[in-house]
Amino acid sequence: GDIVLLAKPVTLTEGDRVTLTTDVPVATDGTSKPEKLLYAVSLPPVHGQIEHINYPGVPISSYSQLDVVAQKVSDVHDNSHGAGKESVR
């Protein structure tokens, strides 16, 4: 039952896009099937969105560890002017 999530900060400036890899979020739950882990975006970025690379411009509210391994999820800054740090939960 325990789930472990390790995350590293990512810095984005206006118009940037970063593809999530297992260097940024990686999770394990003690089973032999980490590809079945799902991430739910409960608090999206204020100045951008999380997108699936096959559907640019469309925000997503969930994705799988398999999507992260395949590098199919991006955090995209929306070109709005905003100062300070923000996080995605």
Side-chain angles (χ1 to χ4, degrees):
D2 292 332
I3 295 176
V4 176
L5 174 64
L6 302 173
K8 295 180 184 175
V10 174
T11 301
L12 292 173
T13 56
E14 292 179 39
D16 279 353
R17 167 188 300 269
V18 65
T19 299
L20 302 184
T21 66
T22 54
D23 289 341
V24 179
V26 62
T28 60
D29 69 349
T31 70
S32 61
K33 299 185 187 225
E35 69 276 4
K36 295 197 176 212
L37 288 172
L38 296 176
Y39 293 87
V41 181
S42 60
L43 181 62
V46 174
H47 300 288
Q49 60 193 24
I50 305 296
E51 300 177 349
H52 192 282
I53 63 165
N54 291 346
Y55 305 100
V58 179
I60 58 174
S61 60
S62 66
Y63 54 93
S64 70
Q65 181 73 16
L66 192 57
D67 291 329
V68 173
V69 170
Q71 298 183 3
K72 296 196 175 247
V73 180
S74 294
D75 185 345
V76 182
H77 194 286
D78 67 3
N79 291 326
S80 65
H81 297 285
K85 295 181 180 180
E86 66 179 6
S87 63
V88 177
R89 292 191 180 155

